[in-house]
Amino acid sequence: GWPFVGVAAVAILAAVLAAIAITPDPGEAAARAVRLTARTSVALFLAAFTAAALWRFWPNAWTRWQRQNRRYLGVSFAFSHAVHLAAIFWLQHVQPVQFAQSVNAITWVGGGLAYVFIAAMTATSFDRTTQMIGPRAWKILHTVGSYYIWVIFANSYVGRALAMPEYIPAAALVVIALGLRIAARVARPRVSQPVIAN
């Protein structure tokens, strides 16, 4: 439930502050914060993104918890990515020249749209706002938004994996996550699978 979001937020902030504390150079500290929050964000996103699919294929205590808490995993992802954005702006401030050389307008536009989806999906993760927009609009927003965010992560990790082998495990997880979603969508429904409210 919501306490998980609080625990995740505290853990993310503690990890970021610890990384900053042990890194005296401001530029490297900002870069570490960016990398760290990128990892927590992709982990939380994939946990929410694959929750229904994993429960569909491997129903057990963990996937049941994951399925029941995917809303809170998603909100925790949104918090992590908000910290990630703050770290990006910090990096831009302390290393403006290097930042300008490595980030182009396409990245700003593509990433900015992802944040628009994240904000909208987070705002509609509460019962009242969900009721306000209705189930059809909610489903469209969260489906389109989640796949768009997946595209952003895929572009980031798969692109890096082609040049840096250390990114291959993360890229593989991102690709496998989409495969699970597609497989769960086309698979025949499990007759005995209970319906769990999100």
Side-chain angles (χ1 to χ4, degrees), residues 117 145 161 166:
F117 274 118
E166 61 268 26

Side-chain angles (χ1 to χ4, degrees), residues 102-163:
S102 61
V103 179
N104 55 36
I106 295 176
T107 301
W108 280 116
V109 172
L113 181 55
Y115 275 101
V116 171
F117 274 118
I118 292 169
M121 292 166 70
T122 304
T124 55
S125 291
F126 302 89
D127 292 338
R128 184 178 295 275
T129 51
T130 299
Q131 293 171 359
M132 286 174 59
I133 67 171
R136 179 176 173 80
W138 185 94
K139 184 175 180 60
I140 292 172
L141 170 63
H142 284 254
T143 300
V144 174
S146 63
Y147 279 106
Y148 182 81
I149 295 165
W150 179 89
V151 168
I152 295 298
F153 278 126
N155 180 67
S156 177
Y157 282 95
V158 174
R160 285 183 173 89
L162 296 176

Side-chain angles (χ1 to χ4, degrees), residues 1 9 21 27 35 40-41 59 73 76 94 104 106 111 114 122 126 129 132 152 159 162 166 174-175 178 182 189:
R35 291 192 298 268
T40 56
S41 291
L73 289 164
S76 299
V94 297
N104 55 36
I106 295 176
T122 304
F126 302 89
T129 51
M132 286 174 59
I152 295 298
L162 296 176
E166 61 268 26
V174 171
V175 173
L178 180 64
I182 294 172

Side-chain angles (χ1 to χ4, degrees), residues 32-34 45-46 57 64 67 83 86 88 94 115 126-127 136 147 165 172 175 177 196:
R32 279 193 174 187
V34 170
F45 171 76
L46 292 180
F57 292 118
R64 181 182 298 109
R67 173 68 176 81
V83 179
I88 289 174
V94 297
Y115 275 101
F126 302 89
D127 292 338
R136 179 176 173 80
Y147 279 106
V175 173
I196 301 175

Side-chain angles (χ1 to χ4, degrees), residues 4-21 32-33 36-37 40-41 44 76 78-87 90:
F4 174 84
V5 178
V7 172
V10 170
I12 291 165
L13 288 176
V16 169
L17 292 174
I20 293 171
R32 279 193 174 187
L36 176 60
T37 51
T40 56
S41 291
L44 288 165
S76 299
F79 177 84
S80 175
H81 228 45
V83 179
H84 180 68
L85 182 61
W90 181 29

